[in-house]
Amino acid sequence: MGRTTDGWGSGLLGVVIFSGSLPATRVAVGGFEPLFLTSARAVIAALLAVLLLLMLRQARPGRGDLGSLTIVALGVVVGFPLLTALALQHVTAAHSIVFIGLLPLATAIFGVLRGKERPRPAFWAFSCLGSLAVAGFALSKGGGGSLQGDLLMLAAILLCGLGYAEGATLSRRLGGWQVISWALVLALPVMAVLAAVTMPLAWTGIGMPAWLGLAYVSVFSMLVGFVFWYRGLARGGIAGVGQLQLLQPFFGLALAGLLLHEPVAWTMIAVTGLVVLCVAGAKRFA
């Protein structure tokens, strides 16, 4: 298997894992407040990361890597989960997909700025078309926006795109799971304090589904998914593989329909087909 094909395969597996975050989060917020859920998932993932780093006797990153690891932590461990949780207090989930659809484009832009990649012009055409398709689908499902929520979502997308690109570049030297593990360790003190401050006053009323949702977003969304995602970005190219995230909202909605019995409209299937073509075109010209 070629390096590029392996990268796209790893990236797709990462996106599938991330897609499970949508139904898992919907279940988890039935028992936990968004801020506690955001911080608790990072703390749990960081503790697992510490165990991995110690068991596999990984050397500490060099001083020159700390700046990049801090960017990764601010982008994907703290910034994106926290800002999106705050934004969803002001906008609907459907409206937030408008901005999630811009994430692959943001990742590609930062891949050019930080990863020194140079995609061809046709790549940008497919990338923009795919982003517009996702945004248009989200808008057709309802507005539900506000200025404050939109600004928070925009900041979240920019931070996440930067974190993806920076982490992928660093993964070429340190390895994918090492990058996310060290980023989680860096963010642990801040997220531990936030978890302690937002901790529920009582635990007895929290059902098993909420605990299972927390377990999924902690282990898979915050750690395992990033192992495959950073590997995919590093091996297949940040700009190109990043376009796979155009599929994430649709994978998430499909899982929600399968697991939570939510309706799946024919328009979702049609737009998914268009997005798949855009991803294929982006892969061809990346």
Side-chain angles (χ1 to χ4, degrees):
M1 183 184 295
R3 179 183 177 89
T4 300
T5 302
D6 178 46
W8 280 78
S10 295
L12 181 60
L13 184 54
V15 168
V16 171
I17 293 172
F18 289 151
S19 299
S21 301
L22 178 62
T25 300
R26 285 178 176 172
V27 172
V29 294
F32 301 105
E33 292 296 324
L35 284 177
F36 175 76
L37 180 64
T38 299
S39 53
R41 62 189 274 185
V43 170
I44 294 171
L47 294 177
L48 293 174
V50 169
L51 288 177
L52 281 174
L53 292 168
L54 290 176
M55 288 174 57
L56 299 177
R57 302 177 181 228
Q58 294 297 302
R60 293 182 182 180
R63 289 186 178 182
D65 296 326
L66 291 180
S68 292
L69 284 171
T70 301
I71 291 175
V72 174
L74 289 175
V76 303
V77 179
V78 181
F80 183 78
L82 182 57
L83 290 174
T84 50
L86 294 173
L88 286 170
Q89 296 178 342
H90 305 280
V91 301
T92 64
H95 187 79
S96 69
I97 297 176
V98 176
F99 295 89
I100 298 299
L102 299 176
L103 182 54
L105 188 58
T107 302
I109 292 172
F110 283 115
V112 170
L113 296 176
R114 303 293 298 178
K116 310 301 182 185
E117 296 187 354
R118 294 295 181 267
R120 285 181 273 180
F123 164 84
W124 295 109
F126 280 109
S127 179
C128 290
L129 179 60
S131 297
L132 287 174
V134 176
F137 173 78
L139 287 173
S140 70
K141 295 302 176 183
S146 75
L147 178 60
Q148 185 175 356
D150 288 351
L151 291 175
L152 286 168
M153 281 302 304
L154 182 59
I157 293 304
L158 291 175
L159 278 176
C160 192
L162 176 59
Y164 281 166
E166 195 71 28
T169 303
L170 196 56
S171 293
R172 293 166 182 165
R173 297 200 311 274
L174 300 183
W177 76 267
Q178 291 92 335
V179 168
I180 188 59
S181 294
W182 286 116
L184 285 164
V185 170
L186 273 180
L188 179 57
V190 173
M191 301 310 278
V193 171
L194 183 60
V197 171
T198 59
M199 187 179 299
L201 297 177
W203 302 91
T204 54
I206 301 173
M208 182 57 66
W211 285 108
L212 292 175
L214 173 60
Y216 186 92
V217 297
S218 301
V219 177
F220 292 97
S221 304
M222 200 78 259
L223 181 60
V224 177
F226 275 105
V227 174
F228 294 101
W229 183 239
Y230 277 146
R231 174 183 170 84
L233 291 174
R235 294 181 66 84
I238 298 169
V241 174
Q243 300 307 300
L244 287 169
Q245 266 214 317
L246 287 170
L247 299 171
Q248 183 174 328
F250 304 103
F251 284 156
L253 291 173
L255 285 172
L258 180 65
L259 300 177
L260 305 180
H261 307 293
E262 296 184 356
V264 178
W266 69 268
T267 52
M268 188 192 86
I269 299 174
V271 175
T272 301
L274 175 60
V275 168
V276 169
L277 292 176
C278 292
V279 172
K283 182 180 186 297
R284 171 70 176 80
F285 294 103

